[in-house]
């Protein structure tokens, strides 16, 4: 069973790192929207460009520094909290990541924010919390491929192979086959 545990750990890192067929959604990368402090948006934009071609930040420490400045200027800037949570997650700072993503979920309870918080909960070892957030994400948007793949990883960790394969299949049918391809390579799914 240690092979499955090692696979689940590797998969959870891979799903967050390059799992997406689509990049993270841009939030006004050019600057000012008029919705938040213009300086805060500029710092957010500087951090945003550090996510290149996938879902892993190339320089998470630098991103956190920019996002700290954005949040200092605009404390209720939920997008900056969500993005900083992702950077903290890339750094392995799970508590900080979870706190920022919880703020983002409370301010903007979107499928994407729930999916990311579910991933962090899973990485923290809280599979029940992860499952709850990922299920909520899917209730909000059944096409949220991240949530399907992350929940598939939770199911693998719980030794629910059939459920994991079903979730990976749904993630794949919604545009991201990373989980299914990994599980097939390991001989876990057909």
């Amino acid at each position: 069973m240690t092979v499955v545990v090692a696979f689940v750990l590797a998969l959870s890192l891979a799903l967050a790192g390059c799992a997406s067929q689509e990049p993270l959604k841009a939030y006004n990368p050019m600057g000012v929207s008029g919705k938040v402090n213009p300086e805060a948006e500029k710092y957010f934009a500087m951090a945003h460009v550090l996510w290149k071609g996938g879902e892993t930040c190339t320089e998470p420490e630098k991103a956190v520094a920019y996002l700290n400045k954005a949040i200092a200027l605009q404390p209720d800037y939920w997008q900056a909290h969500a993005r900083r949570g992702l950077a903290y997650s890339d750094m392995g700072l799970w508590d900080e990541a979870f706190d920022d993503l919880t703020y983002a979920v409370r301010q903007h309870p979107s499928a994407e924010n729930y999916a990311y918080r579910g991933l962090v909960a899973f990485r923290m070892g809280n599979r029940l919390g992860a499952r709850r957030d990922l299920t909520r994400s899917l209730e909000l948007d059944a096409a949220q491929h991240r949530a399907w793949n992350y929940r598939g990883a939770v199911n693998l960790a719980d030794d629910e192979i059939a459920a994991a394969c079903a979730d990976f299949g749904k993630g794949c049918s919604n545009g991201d086959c990373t989980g299914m391809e990994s599980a097939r390579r390991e001989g876990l799914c057909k």
Side-chain angles (χ1 to χ4, degrees), residues 37 159 185:
N37 178 300
D159 205 26
R185 274 193 306 276

Side-chain angles (χ1 to χ4, degrees), residues 1 7-8 15 48 65 68 75 81 102 122-124 142 148 160:
M1 198 44 57
F7 172 71
V8 169
L15 287 173
H48 184 272
N68 284 342
H81 283 275
T102 296
F122 177 60
R123 287 177 165 180
M124 295 172 80
W148 287 115
E160 297 176 11

Side-chain angles (χ1 to χ4, degrees), residues 9-189:
L9 179 59
L11 181 63
S12 75
L13 294 173
L15 287 173
C18 59
S20 179
Q21 299 295 335
E22 68 184 55
L24 289 171
K25 293 179 185 168
Y27 184 77
N28 194 15
M30 298 309 292
V32 253
S33 69
K35 296 179 183 178
V36 297
N37 178 300
E39 278 300 301
E41 279 194 307
K42 288 178 185 175
Y43 283 118
F44 181 89
M46 292 167 70
H48 184 272
V49 298
L50 298 173
W51 274 265
K52 295 179 181 163
E55 294 190 11
T56 300
C57 183
T58 58
E59 298 179 64
E61 293 86 2
K62 192 174 186 179
V64 167
Y66 288 140
L67 294 165
N68 284 342
K69 291 177 182 180
I71 291 167
L73 291 165
Q74 182 83 37
D76 63 345
Y77 195 176
W78 69 263
Q79 295 92 339
H81 283 275
R83 187 63 60 152
R84 188 174 70 177
L86 294 173
Y88 280 144
S89 181
D90 287 344
M91 295 166 62
L93 300 173
W94 313 126
D95 290 334
E96 293 86 344
F98 191 82
D99 290 348
D100 268 345
L101 287 162
T102 296
Y103 181 86
V105 162
R106 288 182 179 153
Q107 298 303 309
H108 185 74
S110 68
E112 187 172 58
N113 285 341
Y114 273 106
Y116 285 130
R117 191 175 74 171
L119 173 65
V120 170
F122 177 60
R123 287 177 165 180
M124 295 172 80
N126 180 359
R127 293 197 299 249
L128 183 63
R131 189 178 296 281
R132 183 185 62 240
D133 277 351
L134 297 168
T135 299
R136 180 65 182 134
S137 174
L138 294 167
E139 289 169 356
L140 292 170
D141 180 2
Q144 177 49 253
H145 60 83
R146 289 178 189 92
W148 287 115
N149 283 318
Y150 299 161
R151 196 173 78 175
V154 173
N155 283 328
L156 274 183
D158 288 341
D159 205 26
E160 297 176 11
I161 307 301
C165 293
D167 282 352
F168 291 145
K170 288 181 181 173
C172 189
S173 69
N174 284 293
D176 182 359
C177 296
T178 307
M180 181 58 81
E181 289 168 0
S182 296
R184 283 181 178 155
R185 274 193 306 276
E186 294 296 319
L188 298 171
C189 300

